[in-house]
Amino acid sequence: MTEKELRKKAMALPLNPGVYIMKNKDKKIIYIGKAKALKNRVSSYFGSHSNHSLKVIRMVENVDDFDYILCDTEFEALVLECSLIKQHMPKYNILLKDDKGYNYIKITKEEFPKISEAKQILDDNAEYIGPFISNFSVKNAVEETLRIFKLPQCNKKFPKDYGKSRPCLNGFMGICSAPCAGRISKEDYISSINDAVAFLKGGASKSVEEMKRRMYEYSENTEFEKAAKMRDRIRAIQNLDEKQKVVSINVPEEDVFALTSSNKKSCFEVLRFKQGRLTDSEHWIIDSVDNAEDARSELIERYYSMRSDIPGRIALDGSVTDEELLKEFLESLRGKKVEIIHPQKGEHLAIVNMCIKNANEHLAQNQGRLGKEMAALEELGELLALPKPPEYIESYDISHTFGADNVAGMVVFHNARPMKKAYKKFAIKSFDGQNDVGSMNEVLRRRFKHYYEDDSESTFKILPDLILLDGGQPQVNAVLPVIREMNISVPVFGMVKDNKHRTRAIAFDGGEIEINSHRAAFTLVSNIQEEVHRFAITYHHKKHQKSSFSSSLLKIDGIGEKKAKILMKHFKTITAIKEAGVEELSKVSGISKKDAENINNFYTQK
């Protein structure tokens, strides 16, 4: 449907609460939303886009039709919306990937056992404690246990590496017993492991009681060194307890949420408290949100659709859309009252600020990792006057040997990084001989034929933000008519090399843009050009080698293309065919004894 037709259909909707389901031309659900009045909400998508975000505009561009389900109340619409989103995971809804699984603490069975985290139980004769839902609590428990009992955190294997090297920093700091330097006997090491396992299984209070008993016993027996070791462990556990009290609240259970944003990304952070102590922490990096109130509400709905344990109190770093509706939804899931608070002072505000700080830290780490790449994309987008930075770039190069074995390579860069699963190879079919322009024309036509005809799982269904061709204006001019003819709206540019085969400029329909002075964009385009050239020429070499092999077989009396293919399929290489005797060759289906003799004679005479 056209946007005009979609608006007409939307204007005919009733003013009732309900859920609307947006679909693309392949009838795939791409967005699900709820509305207090369906007509008003759905019709707002079609018409003027002046108040819409870029994400909404993109979604609307892909809408071909929509369905709707009427509900009696807005609450009923919210419950249905959450259920449908969980079922269909539409592309344009805010989605949280639920990577929660069971977590275990693993104790290996070896001469010097090791304690570590594990995601699953393996058949490796190790002991496993668990399962635990929270990876956060397992990670903390293992780290603190290793510190308290001064057990190694490295990957060294004992007794193989026992006493063979100087201790690492942990050994110098006294937080590892340093078996690598031979500072602890095997007996004492096993004793520490046993105490550590008892601590993990029995908890701090039970372990401290046992340690105190042993400390007094060692002291009475004048084993003061062992008594001091017990004393240090008790202090370490007490220090851990004090550290945990710093991150605590005077409530039995509470979840704390924060949402922070930068220009490109947002971070949704959750801190979970049980019995007044921090027991879990989760975060998600998502696309930058347009409206924080809407996003908070939607994210919290998504979060508790994945989690069954809902606390009695939820603290937020800002307001949410339809708070009473959200509260009603959470209470229906919990079966009890839920309080939503917006702390302004005291310990709750301190915890919210800590949640915000963690979210900002995770966002900074993400931006730091991707910062250079995003800066390069922004610079390239500005240089080429694109409407937005090109996150998904396709690049093409032609390779041949004097017009023989013509091939093309297509590489993809997603967020400025190679996306190798989307790389494609093309053998040129429409002609023989050297014609880079004609080859590029054929390849782009075939590529966008796949876009229209492939199933939804194909990476060909992803429309790029930018196409870069290896070559200048002739290649660009060859491709632009194909793009227009196939009704594809993607900017196309060429990558021009200097006489030393280095990237010099970017060609477009009408001229060239010098790129050398734009350092980030220059580096990115150079990397793309080198990668597409490498990929295309590697494919060409393989094809040329294979055709060379086949052509040598075709020189043998009685061996045509069909028999050459049979031989290559059976023996894989020409070397294997050369080394095969007449008897072995004649056993191949379709190869007669006469053929085998001819093959053998041909290669033995060479």
Side-chain angles (χ1 to χ4, degrees), residues 579-598:
E579 292 175 352
V582 172
E583 187 178 347
E584 187 180 355
L585 287 164
S586 61
K587 286 180 181 178
V588 178
S589 176
I591 304 299
S592 67
K593 189 169 183 181
K594 178 66 176 173
D595 292 333
E597 289 171 350
N598 288 342

Side-chain angles (χ1 to χ4, degrees), residues 89 127 148 154 163 224 228 260 272 288 300 322 331 334 338 356 370 373 383 398 411 422 427 445 498 562 578 594:
M89 302 293 284
E127 180 184 354
I148 290 167
C154 61
F224 299 119
T260 60
R272 311 202 78 182
S288 189
I300 291 168
D322 295 327
E331 288 177 342
R334 186 172 186 253
V338 175
I356 294 170
L370 298 175
E373 289 95 333
L383 186 67
I398 307 297
V411 303
R445 189 177 296 278
D498 60 19
K562 186 176 179 181
K578 287 178 180 178
K594 178 66 176 173

Side-chain angles (χ1 to χ4, degrees), residues 242-253:
E242 289 303 311
K243 178 184 169 185
Q244 288 176 333
K245 284 178 182 175
V246 173
V247 188
S248 64
I249 49 177
N250 191 26
V251 218
E253 56 175 5

Side-chain angles (χ1 to χ4, degrees), residues 273-331:
F273 291 82
K274 288 187 178 178
Q275 285 148 13
R277 294 193 176 177
L278 181 63
T279 58
D280 204 357
S281 170
E282 298 177 86
H283 76 277
W284 287 266
I285 302 295
I286 58 175
D287 289 338
S288 189
V289 301
D290 302 309
N291 183 305
E293 292 186 9
D294 289 348
R296 275 192 200 93
S297 185
E298 196 171 341
L299 286 162
I300 291 168
E301 289 167 18
R302 297 295 88 79
Y303 181 76
Y304 288 117
S305 295
M306 303 188 311
R307 303 283 177 266
S308 57
D309 50 332
I310 299 172
R313 180 180 287 183
I314 293 169
L316 306 179
D317 67 325
S319 55
V320 293
T321 304
D322 295 327
E323 184 172 310
E324 285 304 314
L325 184 64
L326 176 63
K327 187 170 178 289
E328 186 182 357
F329 173 68
L330 296 175
E331 288 177 342

